Amino acid sequence: RNPAELILENVKKGVAKGMKGKVTAENKTSLGKWPGLAFSLETDDLTCKFRIFLAGPRLYQLCGGYAKGKENWDETKKFLDSFALIQEK
């Protein structure tokens, strides 16, 4: 694995540990040229979808979550898909 993949993997593990949850699905993704990781996580009460991206020295983390049984993944997908990086002036 390359360094970016290791960082993304460690962030995912840290999120799961911090939330006391279990990762139920994951896949590699990207934001333009920047590597990313998308994963789903479940706790006793919540289901969440995360996307994390490593853009140079910056890490971006997005999350949409719901109480179990009250999920609205269409809205979560809209939110997660709306994220974009803009160029600094």
Side-chain angles (χ1 to χ4, degrees), residues 30-87:
S30 64
L31 186 62
K33 67 179 183 177
W34 304 112
L37 186 64
F39 62 96
S40 299
L41 183 139
E42 289 190 15
T43 69
D44 291 341
D45 303 328
L46 301 170
T47 53
C48 304
K49 293 192 184 280
F50 286 86
R51 289 188 192 166
I52 51 177
F53 301 99
L54 189 59
R58 292 186 175 96
L59 180 83
Y60 297 93
Q61 179 175 303
L62 306 150
C63 174
Y66 295 94
K68 283 190 175 178
K70 300 189 184 287
E71 296 90 347
N72 184 342
W73 298 126
D74 290 337
E75 288 298 315
T76 301
K77 185 174 181 339
K78 284 182 196 175
F79 166 70
L80 295 174
D81 288 346
S82 72
F83 183 73
L85 296 177
I86 57 173
Q87 290 185 346

Side-chain angles (χ1 to χ4, degrees), residues 14-26:
V15 168
K17 183 177 180 181
M19 292 183 68
K20 297 182 176 122
K22 178 182 176 185
V23 174
T24 58
E26 69 178 271

